[in-house]
């Protein structure tokens, strides 16, 4: 199976990346995607599920997934008349043009560390929520202090979320590779639409498998 990896930002230049895919793959049969078939209700359910133990992480995840990726992504698409958009728009355009199917590859449960270490994550999240406002209210007993504590909590939430994602990154990429390899013997050509940060890991994971030929070994932004 020949595959072309299209990696970039999750809200990116749709036209540029679709054109790059079409230049390198004549007729992809499958579009492997990170978040290609993610269900909104299921994503929300999973986010709510971790909230009792890790409210900071859940809150930041909600902002990232539903405010930044979906809402702002949609606004950007409207403002640019479809020139820019989410990864899933790229996947749909390629799939529609070639009659290809979209297959989700990011199937690893991202909140696994919270399930494995509930006490640690619970203490870290709830301890921060209690401690930071208490300290700021004592130091700055005003609306400004409340706002500053809120911003700091948001920043800490972002750090905790990305630290958790970094912790499972290798396992996520291994699962992505396994999902792609599951079609290696039945598909002749395909493309992979993922975030730039996963390009190298997925590429390396596929490199050792003879049944897969990656067209673009070198990671390049938007290619």
């Amino acid at each position: 199976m020949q595959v072309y990896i299209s990696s970039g930002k999750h809200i990116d230049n749709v036209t540029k990346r679709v054109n790059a895919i079409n230049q390198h793959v004549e007729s992809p049969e499958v579009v492997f995607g990170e978040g290609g078939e993610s269900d909104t209700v299921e994503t929300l359910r999973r986010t709510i599920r971790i909230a009792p133990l890790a409210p900071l992480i859940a809150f930041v995840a909600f902002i990232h997934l539903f405010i930044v990726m979906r809402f702002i992504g949609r606004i950007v698409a409207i403002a640019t008349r479809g020139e820019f958009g989410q990864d899933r728009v790229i996947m749909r355009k390629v799939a529609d043009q070639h009659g290809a199917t979209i297959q989700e590859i990011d199937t690893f449960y991202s909140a696994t560390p919270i399930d494995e270490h509930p006490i640690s994550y619970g203490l870290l999240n709830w301890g921060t929520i209690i401690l930071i406002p208490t300290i700021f209210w004592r130091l700055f007993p005003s609306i400004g202090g409340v706002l500053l504590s809120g911003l700091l909590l948001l920043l800490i939430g972002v750090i905790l979320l990305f630290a958790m994602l970094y912790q499972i990154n290798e396992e996520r990429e291994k699962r992505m590779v396994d999902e792609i390899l599951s079609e290696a013997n039945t598909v002749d050509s395909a493309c992979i639409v993922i975030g730039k940060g996963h390009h190298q890991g997925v590429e390396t994971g596929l490199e050792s498998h003879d049944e897969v030929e990656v067209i673009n070994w070198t990671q390049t932004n938007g290619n």
Side-chain angles (χ1 to χ4, degrees):
M1 176 175 68
Q2 277 194 331
V3 296
Y4 174 80
I5 302 176
S6 172
S7 66
K9 302 172 184 176
H10 288 303
I11 298 176
D12 210 343
N13 190 313
V14 173
T15 303
K16 179 181 177 181
R17 289 181 63 181
V18 170
N19 288 342
I21 292 170
N22 289 333
Q23 289 171 7
H24 290 86
V25 187
E26 184 176 345
S27 183
E29 301 167 54
V30 178
V31 179
F32 296 107
E34 176 191 357
E37 293 183 338
S38 58
D39 181 80
T40 300
V41 174
E42 176 62 18
T43 301
L44 181 60
R45 188 188 67 81
R46 288 187 174 188
T47 304
I48 294 173
R49 176 188 167 188
I50 66 173
L53 277 175
L56 273 180
I57 292 177
F59 180 66
V60 173
F62 177 84
I63 291 175
H64 174 69
L65 294 170
F66 293 96
I67 306 300
V68 176
M69 295 300 297
R70 285 173 169 78
F71 180 71
I72 295 181
R74 182 59 180 163
I75 295 299
V76 169
I78 293 172
T80 61
R81 296 185 179 182
E83 187 73 13
F84 282 75
Q86 299 177 59
D87 282 354
R88 63 176 61 197
V89 178
I90 298 171
M91 299 174 207
R92 288 171 185 162
K93 282 185 176 292
V94 174
D96 290 343
Q97 289 177 9
H98 300 280
T101 58
I102 297 174
Q103 180 170 326
E104 174 64 57
I105 58 173
D106 189 15
T107 57
F108 188 84
Y109 180 47
S110 297
T112 297
I114 298 175
D115 289 346
E116 293 177 346
H117 307 284
I119 295 176
S120 297
Y121 274 91
L123 289 174
L124 188 58
N125 277 258
W126 282 107
T128 302
I129 289 174
I130 295 171
L131 188 61
I132 295 298
T134 300
I135 292 174
F136 269 79
W137 183 250
R138 287 182 177 273
L139 294 175
F140 310 102
S142 63
I143 296 298
V146 173
L147 293 175
L148 284 174
S149 66
L151 289 174
L152 184 56
L153 283 173
L154 183 62
L155 176 61
I156 294 173
V158 170
I159 293 172
L160 291 176
L161 173 63
F162 282 95
M164 183 186 72
L165 293 177
Y166 178 80
Q167 184 179 351
I168 62 164
N169 188 60
E170 186 175 336
E171 293 177 89
R172 281 181 69 195
E173 291 175 348
K174 184 179 182 301
R175 179 69 62 84
M176 291 180 189
V177 170
D178 289 342
E179 294 287 351
I180 295 166
L181 291 175
S182 69
E183 300 291 340
N185 294 322
T186 58
V187 174
D188 292 325
S189 64
C191 65
I192 306 169
V193 179
I194 53 178
K196 183 180 178 181
H198 295 304
H199 189 128
Q200 189 66 49
V202 171
E203 173 186 293
T204 302
L206 293 172
E207 188 174 9
S208 59
H209 296 274
D210 295 334
E211 63 268 34
V212 178
E213 176 190 350
V214 179
I215 297 172
N216 56 325
W217 288 111
T218 303
Q219 179 179 350
T220 54
N221 187 27
N223 290 334

